[in-house]
Amino acid sequence: MDPEIIAHYADRYDESARLDGSAFDRVEALRTKEILLRHLPAPPAVVLDVGGGPGVYASWLSGLGYEVHLVDPVERHVEGAMTREPPPLSARVGDARSLDFDDGSADAVLLLGPLYHLPEKGDRFVALGEARRVLRQGGPVFVAGISRFASAFDGLLDGLDEDAGFRRIVEQDLETGIHRNPTDNPRFFTTSYWHLPSELAAEVEEAGFEDVAVLAVEGVAWVAPDLEARLADPGRREYLLGLIRRLEREPGIMGASPHMLAVGRK
């Protein structure tokens, strides 16, 4: 892995509490869990959480009765995952492009981070191929992507676009999809590749997966100025999630969702 990516997560940014943080991050977690549960086989199916970070989803799935094995290139994440309750059955340092699992040994594979941290298409294709190799026939794969337009929206929302360096990053993102952060500001994220929605679908299909659908994760929840209050009210929260669900496949606004999730089958 790119040393800059490892350093970002090991030394500069604490990923362990992100999905429990802001209202918007919590929408991401709620929606990701919702989509996973639609397509996962019943527990105690074997799930490989590749690039699983500090184990937020691995722990949740373990609590539901799944046999979860986590792989991540950052040692800090692997150690943190095993301290969660319940922990995954196993967690190891590893690379999505070279998985230490047998062919057809998993009932489902999560790639909720690897693809957008591999700027080169060839590397992304290798990671998808490894996921397909270890997946049993008919098993689902879940592949997360960051929208090509995420930094443009984020800059407007959080005022990051007042920084000339961030504006240059946005221009590069829009032009090439390759996001690089030459500054010391961890808010500008780290080396990654940001997909167009159709591009994400095409890459997963090119890797040999079938029935591929790309779904918006957070959708346009970020336009709600009172998102925290909406999540705190059960009725308003369900309306919000229902609206995102209703629009999750709408191609006209797919790119407005910061995260997308491609679901396919071997």
Side-chain angles (χ1 to χ4, degrees):
M1 291 294 294
D2 186 322
E4 196 275 331
I5 299 174
I6 302 297
H8 175 80
Y9 288 108
D11 305 319
R12 301 170 65 195
Y13 183 79
D14 183 5
E15 177 73 9
S16 63
R18 182 181 69 84
L19 292 172
D20 294 323
S22 72
F24 194 73
D25 290 334
R26 299 202 305 276
V27 171
E28 178 190 342
L30 288 168
R31 284 282 297 153
T32 300
K33 290 177 179 180
E34 174 185 311
I35 295 169
L36 292 178
L37 289 180
R38 286 186 210 165
H39 300 277
L40 282 171
V46 177
V47 178
L48 301 188
D49 189 1
V50 182
V56 172
Y57 295 114
S59 176
W60 168 68
L61 289 169
S62 293
L64 295 178
Y66 287 94
E67 179 184 322
V68 185
H69 301 276
L70 181 143
V71 179
D72 196 87
V74 181
E75 186 172 356
R76 175 188 185 185
H77 288 171
V78 171
E79 294 173 351
M82 292 307 294
T83 67
R84 291 186 178 270
E85 288 296 335
L89 187 64
S90 74
R92 67 190 75 176
V93 174
D95 191 315
R97 296 164 292 183
S98 181
L99 296 175
D100 188 20
F101 293 93
D102 293 335
D103 296 1
S105 58
D107 296 304
V109 176
L110 313 186
L111 294 173
L112 301 184
L115 234 63
Y116 59 72
H117 280 314
L118 294 171
E120 298 299 326
K121 182 179 178 181
D123 286 331
R124 297 196 296 275
F125 192 75
V126 171
L128 287 166
E130 275 291 271
R132 190 174 186 278
R133 178 185 66 80
V134 301
L135 190 58
R136 67 166 175 80
Q137 198 68 27
V141 66
F142 303 86
V143 184
I146 297 178
S147 167
R148 177 71 58 88
F149 315 110
S151 60
F153 293 134
D154 199 35
L156 294 172
L157 282 170
D158 294 340
L160 300 179
D161 61 327
E162 299 298 327
D163 185 287
F166 185 79
R167 290 188 180 186
R168 288 191 290 271
I169 291 172
V170 171
E171 284 303 315
Q172 179 171 284
D173 293 348
L174 295 175
E175 182 69 24
T176 69
I178 297 177
H179 178 93
R180 298 195 188 278
N181 178 7
T183 78
D184 293 325
N185 190 339
R187 293 184 67 197
F188 297 173
F189 202 44
T190 184
T191 302
S192 45
Y193 185 79
W194 295 13
H195 285 82
L196 298 170
S198 59
E199 183 183 26
L200 180 60
E203 289 188 1
V204 178
E205 289 172 348
E206 185 180 349
F209 291 99
E210 300 179 349
D211 303 323
V212 176
V214 175
L215 309 175
V217 177
E218 307 97 332
V220 293
W222 52 269
V223 305
D226 57 346
L227 189 56
E228 188 73 54
R230 286 178 181 272
L231 290 183
D233 182 291
R236 299 180 75 203
R237 179 178 64 185
E238 184 49 42
Y239 176 78
L240 172 69
L241 294 175
L243 184 62
I244 298 171
R245 197 178 301 129
R246 173 69 176 78
L247 299 173
E248 66 184 8
R249 294 174 182 256
E250 178 55 52
I253 58 173
M254 177 73 69
S257 179
H259 291 90
M260 306 168 290
L261 194 57
V263 184
R265 292 192 178 277
K266 179 176 176 178

